[in-house]
Amino acid sequence: MEPIRNFDQLTSHLRSLNKRKRVAVVCAKDANTEYAINRALEEGIADFLMVGDAEVMERFPSLKDYPGRVESIHTSDPDEAARLAVDIVRKGKADILMKGIINTDNLLHAILDKEHGLLPRGKVLTHLAVMQIPTYHKLLFFSDAAVIPRPSLQQRIEMIGYAIRTCRHFGIAQPRIALIHCTEKVSAKFPHSLDYVNIVELAEAGEFGDVIIDGPLDVKTACEKTSGDIKGIASPIGGEADVLIFPNIESANSFYKAVSLFAHADMAGLLQGPTCPVVLPSRSDSGLSKYYSLAMACLTSMEQPDE
């Protein structure tokens, strides 16, 4: 499989697989979610089960153009909608869970329920995003901009594992993973930089399989070879990072917002850790961003490709 380098290629690849995924959408009430659902139906990559107020379906007349592809389950209570959708996924009646206009905490409460939720015991819940930046020559993954405030060493290891598996789905045979810091120096003043040393050692010992992991690096040296050459940094990443692992949620979220605003990057993202892909967009995300997140979920719900 050739690497998927942009979102158009992602859609084309999914169409070529000709395997529709079933998506349970919780409280779809807005035009941007409607756009994402319509686009996925038009591309032939997914079918939908709308869980929430059935009257909302009357606001989406275009969905009636796909008979048999869209069903609905009525409940006027958002918390009940979240529980129903999670139960549907647990029973294998849907492959993907998607958030509509419901408070994130309410949906997470259902996902994280110890008896009836979707997060297996011992798994780490985190967020992995991918962006298409006009000035970068391939898709760029990064974590965690939404869930874990200050990852521990073990959480970082899990985050990297999730990112590697997702990269494999995107056809990236040897992911290049940069551990991001404001400098390339290790210092006890920044405990995460000490974690980076341990992670690089694990990678060199083969713990993560066929990957390249290096850090600490700043974003420029991770994504631009010239910057590394000027600084005299000989990193195996070589300015070709596929994944950026940020030290904390503040830096990752600031990167997310800044690049989307000033560089006009297109964005997608998923929760990692649950038993199915969870599309958890911000209520303000564009319809296109929600569609790309859906497409990413459809891809990662396929069987894991051979490494």
Side-chain angles (χ1 to χ4, degrees):
M1 172 182 174
E2 289 295 317
I4 295 170
R5 292 183 172 271
N6 57 56
F7 287 131
D8 285 343
Q9 289 179 5
L10 171 58
T11 293
S12 296
H13 178 69
L14 287 170
R15 284 201 306 259
S16 73
L17 295 176
N18 196 29
K19 294 181 180 178
R20 289 177 179 266
K21 292 297 180 176
R22 187 167 172 80
V23 184
V25 189
V26 184
C27 299
K29 299 180 181 179
D30 63 300
N32 287 337
T33 300
E34 180 191 12
Y35 170 85
I37 293 170
N38 264 299
R39 176 75 183 273
L41 288 165
E42 180 184 333
E43 300 290 358
I45 66 174
D47 295 332
F48 292 88
L49 180 58
M50 316 286 276
V51 186
D53 189 346
E55 292 183 3
V56 173
M57 286 289 289
E58 299 303 317
R59 303 179 197 172
F60 299 162
S62 60
L63 298 186
K64 297 177 182 179
D65 294 337
Y66 300 93
R69 298 294 182 188
V70 184
E71 301 176 29
S72 65
I73 294 179
H74 173 72
T75 175
S76 57
D77 181 353
D79 289 328
E80 178 65 13
R83 288 192 294 270
L84 282 171
V86 166
D87 187 59
I88 287 164
V89 172
R90 281 176 59 89
K91 291 178 178 177
K93 297 179 180 179
D95 308 297
I96 295 163
L97 184 67
M98 181 178 182
K99 174 192 167 205
I101 300 297
I102 180 175
N103 187 286
T104 296
D105 289 343
N106 294 62
L107 183 57
L108 286 177
H109 183 74
I111 292 171
L112 299 177
D113 185 286
K114 291 183 180 179
E115 291 187 21
H116 307 291
L118 298 175
L119 187 70
R121 188 181 301 275
K123 298 293 286 184
V124 171
L125 184 75
T126 185
H127 186 268
L128 178 66
V130 58
M131 57 171 57
Q132 180 178 307
I133 309 170
T135 53
Y136 201 54
H137 61 287
K138 58 183 174 179
L139 293 172
L140 184 63
F141 297 83
F142 62 99
S143 189
D144 176 331
V147 177
I148 304 176
R150 285 168 177 77
S152 66
L153 173 60
Q154 188 55 44
Q155 287 172 328
R156 290 187 204 283
I157 289 171
E158 292 292 327
M159 289 161 61
I160 290 168
Y162 294 142
I164 291 169
R165 287 191 287 276
T166 301
C167 284
R168 303 274 188 238
H169 280 292
F170 277 76
I172 303 170
Q174 188 184 53
R176 295 172 181 252
I177 301 173
L179 308 174
I180 299 301
H181 187 32
C182 60
T183 176
E184 292 77 24
K185 296 179 181 179
V186 176
S187 170
K189 294 180 181 179
F190 301 98
H192 63 266
S193 69
L194 303 179
D195 286 352
Y196 290 175
V197 174
N198 291 328
I199 291 169
V200 171
E201 289 175 350
L202 288 172
E204 291 174 346
E207 184 72 21
F208 299 101
D210 188 12
V211 299
I212 296 173
I213 301 179
D214 196 26
L217 294 169
D218 69 24
V219 173
K220 285 194 72 175
T221 53
C223 299
E224 183 185 65
K225 186 176 185 301
T226 302
S227 293
D229 291 343
I230 291 171
K231 290 184 175 183
I233 296 168
S235 169
I237 299 294
E240 291 278 343
D242 296 295
V243 181
L244 308 180
I245 300 295
F246 282 90
N248 52 45
I249 199 170
E250 294 95 337
S251 57
N253 193 271
S254 296
F255 176 78
Y256 182 111
K257 301 291 175 56
V259 177
S260 60
L261 176 62
F262 296 115
H264 305 291
D266 290 322
M267 203 81 64
L270 298 175
L271 285 184
Q272 303 282 294
T275 54
C276 77
V278 177
V279 181
L280 196 79
S282 167
R283 284 172 292 180
S284 63
D285 279 354
S286 69
L288 200 56
S289 177
K290 291 184 178 186
Y291 166 70
Y292 290 147
S293 295
L294 256 179
M296 180 182 179
C298 288
L299 181 66
T300 58
S301 66
M302 301 290 181
E303 291 183 8
Q304 179 69 47
D306 294 332
E307 296 188 16

